[in-house]
Amino acid sequence: MIWKKDVECLDLAGLKALQSHHLKKLIPYICRNCPVYKQKIDAAGVNPDAIQSIDDIKKLPFTTKEDMRDYYPYGLFSASQDQIHEIHVSSGTTGNPTLVGYTKDDLKLWGDVMARVLCCAGAEPGDTIQIAYGYGLFTGGLGFHYGALEMGLRIIPTSSGQTARQLKIMQDFKPRILGCTPSYALYMAEEAKELGIDPTQGNWKIGIFGAEPWSESMRREIEAAWNMLATDVYGLSEIIGPGVAQECQHKDGLHIFSDVFYPEVIDPATGEEVPEGQDGELTITTLTKQGIPLIRYRTRDIVSIRYDKCRCGRTSPRISKIKGRTDDMIVVRGINVFPSQIEHVLVGIEGTQPHYQIVVDRKARQLDEVEVLVEVEQRFFSDEIRHLSELRERIRKEIQNVLSIGVKVTLVEPKTIERSMGKSQRIVDKRTL
Amino acid sequence: MKITQISVFLENRKGRLYDVCSLLGAHHVNIRALTIAETESFGVLRMVVDKCDAAVKLLREHGFVANFTDVVAVEVPDTPGGLAAVLKVFADNDVNVEYMYGFVEKHSDKALLVFRFEDTDVAQQVLAKHSISIVTKQEIEGL
Ligand SMILES: [Zn+2]
């Protein structure tokens, strides 16, 4: 089922006309209501009247995460606070947190795009969804909640954590849809086995996983563990929360709802748009948001984009899975290192599940060192040191081949690498740069 | 007759051996023989205990990776050249020893050694043919 067929299947010319229409209204609205943005646009030497079509968007300045923090709390808001009905705050490691606020119409928009997400993943009217994303200031739980309400699904708002209870609820109420982070889905499969529950016999048939980057190999692992379809959802609180893009059953890119969230993929260094299909930083303009509309917001997520029509019938462009973060990517001895590269190697080696951690350190001799910690598992443990050493050597060589830099691999005892309910800590950078 | 050895993966961290021993001790599992093989970052603890099924269950419940391995406990005369005589039998018959270690207690006037062979069944036949006595599971449990 396609939730909003009139826009999700609109031909590209129609889509462009709609986007132009929205943008033409958005820029004067922002300039009237947000002095900070007005000043930014003026400083870029852009006359708001010159924005006539979606192609003119390139004239406008970018908005960054730093802007969100610098103008905390209300600097980037276009709506007054009495029009704001809900706020979400995410804490950063440095400086001010990031605040977003939703007007009544923004909340309606959120419900609408999340209903599109649910349908796109394969939810049908009458389905039950277990929402194991955190409810609260994190946008995951409530975003799914609003979408499921809009679509009229039966909702089980378990929030994250309390795994044994999650599994009991799955068995008792048989929800067909599960929403949570991909690492939590794997964690629950492990816990299920320990509790004597066979996850391949579980009730969840469709998983909608997001809030952290994950790879194709992790998808295969989740699908095999739970015997389900594992789909990827994309979103970020600055734009709306979850609900920006979603994979359909073909799992061939995430449909981005470009009639409301206009995507551009740019070279993070130059700001220029990269050709279709090439990797770059995803930049999004919220075309219809009122509370805190953002112009050309730099997501820091590395993706590629394609504009051809999908087999499912949707014409909305598709972004790739997140291939990395412009800021999570670590540079070691001049080489870009993404956690996904290491995860890929580990899954490729028989018997290893991706519970790993990358530790980067700089010793006295000033040379960066990469250590990969891998948890030993029952099924590849041997009483003979030789077998374990061979395994470690194989992992080391393959990672070295992929990264082209030397790494040290250390086998560690199970469950010694921290596994939080939400995002897993995959990189520890101990360097003081 | 084969006996069962338990092997446990250990990181080279302070107190991990103690953690295993105290866990087993607290649950009345007696360690009969023990050795650790180490690399610079991890080690494998190998033990023969009186209640191996219970011990492995316990260790796994406490987050350790632990497995069973078949080994043979051989009686070796506790005299000069006693071990050499046994090893010569293995060498003459192409029996490969992966590793070996001694028991904590003494069994009469003979020393007890745990042998992990490449092929346990072949090793047992050779031992029987040369009348080298081995210790049964029941004897281990009753030690
Ligand atoms: Zn599609």
Side-chain angles (χ1 to χ4, degrees):
Chain A
M1 177 185 178
I2 297 177
W3 184 248
K4 222 165 184 184
K5 216 165 180 169
D6 57 336
V7 288
E8 289 183 78
C9 300
L10 193 59
D11 61 86
L12 284 182
L15 196 56
K16 211 166 163 175
L18 186 61
Q19 290 162 341
S20 298
H21 167 78
H22 288 324
L23 187 67
K24 244 170 93 176
K25 274 170 58 179
L26 177 74
I27 301 306
Y29 168 75
I30 289 177
C31 288
R32 262 197 323 274
N33 295 294
C34 179
V36 169
Y37 252 129
K38 168 103 176 54
Q39 201 270 328
K40 257 176 93 80
I41 291 170
D42 284 347
V46 181
N47 177 358
D49 295 338
I51 306 300
Q52 290 297 320
S53 110
I54 194 69
D55 295 329
D56 295 325
I57 203 166
K58 292 187 179 63
K59 299 172 183 164
L60 294 164
F62 291 113
T63 308
T64 62
K65 183 95 183 168
E66 286 73 40
D67 290 329
M68 298 290 288
R69 294 197 178 133
D70 291 350
Y71 298 113
Y72 177 87
Y74 305 128
L76 290 176
F77 276 70
S78 286
S80 62
Q81 288 308 303
D82 59 348
Q83 292 172 288
I84 298 297
H85 288 273
E86 184 168 324
I87 63 168
H88 284 266
V89 186
S90 58
S91 54
T93 42
T94 51
N96 284 326
T98 304
L99 167 71
V100 290
Y102 303 75
T103 65
K104 210 163 188 172
D105 284 345
D106 290 342
L107 290 172
K108 264 176 74 183
L109 170 68
W110 200 7
D112 170 64
V113 289
M114 277 309 299
R116 296 193 208 178
V117 161
L118 297 168
C119 286
C120 196
E124 296 288 341
D127 269 332
T128 299
I129 182 170
Q130 183 164 345
I131 302 176
Y133 283 104
Y135 277 67
L137 287 175
F138 170 60
T139 51
L142 282 168
F144 270 78
H145 196 93
Y146 295 147
L149 269 184
E150 175 71 16
M151 201 188 154
L153 301 184
R154 186 164 74 133
I155 300 168
I156 315 179
T158 49
S159 195
S160 56
Q162 299 202 51
T163 308
R165 200 182 61 172
Q166 301 271 10
L167 295 167
K168 171 119 178 58
I169 280 173
M170 173 195 76
Q171 292 179 308
D172 288 356
F173 304 106
K174 307 187 174 13
R176 208 170 66 91
I177 322 282
L178 168 70
C180 65
T181 61
S183 57
Y184 191 48
L186 276 182
Y187 178 83
M188 285 199 289
E190 268 181 45
E191 290 294 301
K193 283 181 214 155
E194 276 182 21
L195 292 169
I197 300 168
D198 178 3
T200 61
Q201 300 299 311
N203 302 91
W204 299 318
K205 289 295 155 231
I206 298 173
I208 308 177
F209 304 119
E212 62 187 19
W214 53 305
S215 60
E216 283 301 329
S217 42
M218 196 162 170
R219 183 201 316 264
R220 283 195 292 276
E221 233 187 299
I222 294 173
E223 291 193 328
W226 284 110
N227 190 22
M228 62 152 61
L229 173 80
T231 69
D232 194 2
V233 62
Y234 176 72
L236 59 168
S237 66
E238 296 93 310
I239 299 304
I240 193 115
V244 175
Q246 167 67 34
E247 278 176 337
C248 65
Q249 55 169 323
H250 299 295
K251 297 183 285 188
D252 192 14
L254 290 79
H255 288 283
I256 182 160
F257 306 126
S258 65
D259 57 305
V260 285
F261 305 128
Y262 184 75
E264 294 170 90
V265 177
I266 62 161
D267 180 331
T270 64
E272 294 297 319
E273 192 163 15
V274 300
E276 181 173 347
Q278 276 189 23
D279 291 355
E281 181 179 358
L282 178 64
T283 303
I284 297 173
T285 301
T286 62
L287 294 175
T288 59
K289 243 170 69 171
Q290 298 171 338
I292 178 165
L294 296 179
I295 300 170
R296 306 188 84 195
Y297 182 71
R298 308 269 300 246
T299 64
R300 302 183 181 196
D301 289 319
I302 303 288
V303 301
S304 61
I305 194 165
R306 55 194 282 198
Y307 293 90
D308 54 318
K309 185 176 169 176
C310 180
R311 280 174 284 167
C312 72
R314 289 175 181 84
T315 50
S316 38
R318 279 170 286 166
I319 54 169
S320 64
K321 277 178 96 60
I322 306 301
K323 296 179 179 180
R325 298 268 301 160
T326 57
D327 52 356
D328 272 0
M329 177 185 84
I330 46 168
V331 182
V332 181
R333 292 182 235 160
I335 305 279
N336 295 347
V337 176
F338 294 109
S340 57
Q341 294 173 301
I342 284 162
E343 188 179 318
H344 194 79
V345 168
L346 290 178
V347 175
I349 291 175
E350 197 191 6
T352 48
Q353 263 194 339
H355 286 304
Y356 64 93
Q357 191 167 56
I358 305 161
V359 183
V360 190
D361 205 352
R362 180 169 292 176
K363 293 277 161 54
R365 281 175 303 143
Q366 301 277 310
L367 202 58
D368 291 350
E369 284 173 2
V370 181
E371 182 180 16
V372 181
L373 307 178
V374 181
E375 285 185 3
V376 168
E377 287 192 20
Q378 204 65 56
R379 60 203 157 110
F380 62 84
F381 173 58
S382 160
D383 65 309
E384 290 185 51
I385 289 277
R386 178 164 48 94
H387 290 160
L388 291 168
S389 294
E390 279 166 8
L391 177 78
R392 182 178 60 174
E393 187 56 17
R394 223 180 114 204
I395 296 172
R396 191 187 67 75
K397 272 192 182 143
E398 291 197 22
I399 291 177
Q400 203 153 305
N401 278 346
V402 171
L403 299 184
S404 333
I405 48 170
V407 297
K408 179 184 174 194
V409 172
T410 303
L411 301 178
V412 298
E413 289 173 22
K415 305 207 167 154
T416 49
I417 295 174
E418 199 185 326
R419 225 162 304 194
S420 58
M421 290 301 172
K423 311 196 176 194
S424 21
Q425 182 77 32
R426 297 205 171 105
I427 293 188
V428 177
D429 198 340
K430 292 179 173 171
R431 295 174 295 183
T432 40
L433 298 172
Chain B
M1 185 187 197
K2 294 174 216 171
I3 59 169
T4 306
Q5 169 193 272
I6 295 171
S7 23
V8 186
F9 180 85
L10 290 182
E11 279 172 46
N12 288 358
R13 269 192 285 138
K14 212 174 149 188
R16 289 310 275 163
L17 179 59
Y18 168 77
D19 292 341
V20 172
C21 293
S22 65
L23 177 67
L24 295 180
H27 291 82
H28 312 292
V29 175
N30 239 315
I31 299 170
R32 300 299 184 202
L34 171 148
T35 185
I36 299 181
E38 277 181 299
T39 70
E40 78 288 353
S41 65
F42 69 87
V44 177
L45 169 65
R46 300 153 181 159
M47 323 177 260
V48 177
V49 302
D50 55 351
K51 299 186 260 299
C52 53
D53 291 330
V56 164
K57 187 165 174 283
L58 189 64
L59 287 163
R60 287 183 183 170
E61 278 169 5
H62 285 77
F64 290 97
V65 173
N67 274 351
F68 298 108
T69 316
D70 287 337
V71 292
V72 180
V74 180
E75 282 189 344
V76 177
D78 194 12
T79 52
L83 175 59
V86 172
L87 291 177
K88 185 171 188 312
V89 171
F90 295 150
D92 292 346
N93 292 276
D94 277 336
V95 171
N96 282 327
V97 178
E98 298 282 355
Y99 55 80
M100 53 171 280
Y101 54 100
F103 262 67
V104 179
E105 293 128 285
K106 253 179 110 178
H107 191 52
S108 67
D109 57 341
K110 301 198 169 163
L112 267 186
L113 292 178
V114 177
F115 280 87
R116 163 81 151 95
F117 297 105
E118 196 176 70
D119 188 327
T120 309
D121 293 330
V122 170
Q124 285 197 104
Q125 287 163 19
V126 170
L127 284 164
K129 216 173 100 190
H130 291 81
S131 311
I132 298 172
S133 59
I134 58 178
V135 184
T136 65
K137 205 169 177 171
Q138 289 71 25
E139 284 175 300
I140 298 287
E141 281 162 7
L143 267 180

